Amino acid sequence: MVGIIVIIFLAAGIFFMSTGAIGLLRLPDFYTRLHATGKCDTLGEVLIITGLLIYHLFHYPETPLVPVKLLFLIVFIFLANPTATHAIMKAAYNTGVKPWKVGDKRM
Amino acid sequence: MREVFLVVGLLIAFTILLSLYRAAFGPGVFNRVAAVNVIGTKTIVLLVLIGYYFERPYFFDLSLLYALLNFIGTLIFAKYLERGEVWSG
């Protein structure tokens, strides 16, 4: 039962991370690529680490302090990943990277 | 469950390979920095999965360290590309 829940979490995380990677490859310019990866990767990683945390709680109950590390990792990813995306996007906007419009060539 | 971790780790490695195309051929430096950031955040999850596959919890410390270094590196790259210098008073 716990295994099924863990597999559902891992599959959802893999789905979101694949969507982010495909968006990074397929979308036409820099801003839309970061729009795809900034959210999909954060959610996918948090889902995968949540599944592993549930697995650890039920399979290794003798070491209850290791999931705290994973909890720190989840909180840090939720804080840091959108911040890094925002910083690199603001730097690109201030240095004059133009957004893509309909009809332009793919950049 | 170890086979599941192996399959998920291989799929994450495949998405890293897809992102590596944008890091290698992406037009302009911003695409490359963004792709390197994406690869780093995928590597965090890959390290945690490796820790469960080999049943060694020390890899979680490595993934925490990698998360911190990736975040700081991306912020410094953004600041350098915007202003042309890292330390500005």
Side-chain angles (χ1 to χ4, degrees):
Chain A
M1 189 59 204
V2 176
I4 294 173
I5 293 174
V6 171
I7 288 174
I8 286 172
F9 268 101
L10 292 183
I14 276 296
F15 170 72
F16 279 110
M17 285 176 71
S18 317
T19 312
I22 292 170
L24 184 66
L25 279 186
R26 289 281 300 156
L27 286 175
D29 80 328
F30 173 71
Y31 299 105
T32 48
R33 278 170 204 150
L34 273 190
H35 153 78
T37 60
K39 288 176 297 221
C40 289
D41 272 352
T42 310
L43 184 59
E45 284 153 19
V46 166
L47 280 174
I48 287 180
I49 295 177
T50 308
L52 294 174
L53 198 147
I54 294 170
Y55 174 79
H56 193 106
L57 282 179
F58 279 93
H59 281 261
Y60 305 101
E62 67 273 8
T63 57
L65 276 182
V66 176
V68 178
K69 248 179 242 173
L70 296 181
L71 208 60
F72 278 144
L73 202 58
I74 288 175
V75 171
F76 187 75
I77 284 177
F78 248 120
L79 284 178
N81 211 352
T83 310
T85 306
H86 176 78
I88 190 72
M89 201 178 273
K90 186 160 163 270
Y93 187 76
N94 283 341
T95 48
V97 178
K98 287 277 182 288
W100 181 78
K101 289 189 178 60
V102 178
D104 286 355
K105 203 165 75 63
R106 284 174 57 96
M107 283 184 273
Chain B
M1 282 305 277
R2 286 190 70 193
E3 298 83 11
V4 177
F5 293 151
L6 181 65
V7 170
V8 173
L10 284 179
L11 285 173
I12 289 177
F14 184 66
T15 57
I16 286 176
L17 201 66
L18 287 182
S19 309
L20 196 62
Y21 173 80
R22 189 55 71 196
F25 298 107
V29 66
F30 286 109
N31 278 312
R32 292 193 169 110
V33 173
V36 167
N37 182 28
V38 167
I39 289 172
T41 52
K42 284 184 204 307
T43 310
I44 298 166
V45 184
L46 190 60
L47 276 173
V48 177
L49 276 168
I50 286 172
Y52 276 108
Y53 181 71
F54 291 110
E55 294 174 344
R56 295 195 177 166
Y58 318 111
F59 278 97
F60 306 154
D61 301 335
L62 287 182
S63 65
L64 266 172
L65 185 69
Y66 205 85
L68 287 164
L69 282 180
N70 187 37
F71 176 54
I72 301 292
T74 307
L75 281 190
I76 286 178
F77 245 113
K79 196 171 176 181
Y80 175 69
L81 290 175
E82 185 179 355
R83 303 181 188 173
E85 57 183 353
V86 176
W87 305 108
S88 57

